[in-house]
Amino acid sequence: MPIEIIHGDVLSAKADALILTIDGVRKGLEGNLARTFARKWPDAFMDVEDQIRYLVPLGRTVATFPENECGFPLVLVASTLHHVDVLSDEQKLGVIRAAILEALALAQRHRVARLAATVMTGGWRLGFQAALSAMLDILRPIADENCPMAIALHFLFNKDYELAVESASRFHLRISTGPYKNHH
């Protein structure tokens, strides 16, 4: 699974699938990216929400297929946000790990060639560096250039993009980097 580090907006990605995060308790408890997706493609987001069977347990991911145009034929919805229990940092990372692994399995099952994602900080107040390191640690053992699916991690801000490139090299991951654009 080739890993791409892309500097740009994930909602502008050329990809077969996208990962969004929610609190799986009920509708209306989505993450910032899901809210942005909903503003950009309100009809497609209603399609996504209508296909989710709540309660989605923490750490689970579900596949949805928006009928209205949004640029992503498959939207994977990961239940990584949580507003009730207090979890340790290790438990938070476990939630992210479980959601990513299930998202990857679903993407492979649906023959996704390119999966777009951002770093899952999970709304936990989990630091960006810790979440990024966790995601790269999860991807490292399955990073295989011969795998037919690529995962494209998108970073909107310069400092996050630079940190991702640096972190990926520390993990000894073979990555390709996308265009470096100056965002304000």
Side-chain angles (χ1 to χ4, degrees):
M1 170 179 317
I3 298 169
E4 301 171 3
I5 305 292
I6 306 295
H7 188 250
D9 182 2
V10 71
L11 295 180
S12 298
K14 303 294 183 225
D16 305 305
L18 171 70
I19 299 175
L20 298 178
T21 58
I22 63 165
D23 179 334
V25 174
R26 69 184 192 305
K27 285 183 182 184
L29 296 177
E30 61 276 341
N32 290 331
L33 181 58
R35 287 186 192 130
T36 304
F37 181 101
R39 283 190 300 274
K40 187 170 184 172
W41 298 296
D43 294 335
F45 191 70
M46 284 194 318
D47 295 341
V48 167
E49 279 195 317
D50 289 345
Q51 294 175 42
I52 298 171
R53 292 186 185 190
Y54 292 92
L55 175 83
V56 180
L58 196 56
R60 296 299 311 264
T61 301
V62 297
T64 66
F65 304 90
E67 294 174 15
N68 287 286
E69 179 59 37
C70 70
F72 302 99
L74 173 65
V75 176
L76 300 169
V77 182
S79 178
T80 61
L81 309 177
H82 202 259
H83 299 93
V84 181
D85 293 335
V86 176
L87 300 176
S88 70
D89 283 352
E90 190 56 38
Q91 290 170 314
K92 295 171 189 176
L93 294 173
V95 167
I96 293 169
R97 177 174 282 107
I100 290 171
L101 290 174
E102 188 166 22
L104 293 172
L106 287 166
Q108 287 177 333
R109 183 179 312 143
H110 293 287
R111 294 180 171 79
V112 167
R114 192 157 186 259
L115 173 62
T118 60
V119 171
M120 295 176 160
T121 56
W124 301 105
R125 310 275 187 260
L126 186 62
F128 178 82
Q129 177 65 52
L132 172 63
S133 293
M135 286 185 74
L136 293 176
D137 190 46
I138 293 162
L139 297 173
R140 179 178 39 191
I142 54 178
D144 177 0
E145 302 246 348
N146 298 318
C147 180
M149 180 174 64
I151 185 161
L153 295 176
H154 287 72
F155 300 88
L156 193 55
F157 302 108
N158 293 345
K159 67 181 174 93
D160 295 340
Y161 171 81
E162 291 165 357
L163 184 59
V165 171
E166 177 186 317
S167 296
S169 67
R170 276 200 319 266
F171 276 86
H172 305 291
L173 288 170
R174 293 188 56 159
I175 61 166
S176 62
T177 55
Y180 191 88
K181 298 175 186 165
N182 188 14
H183 291 279
H184 299 284

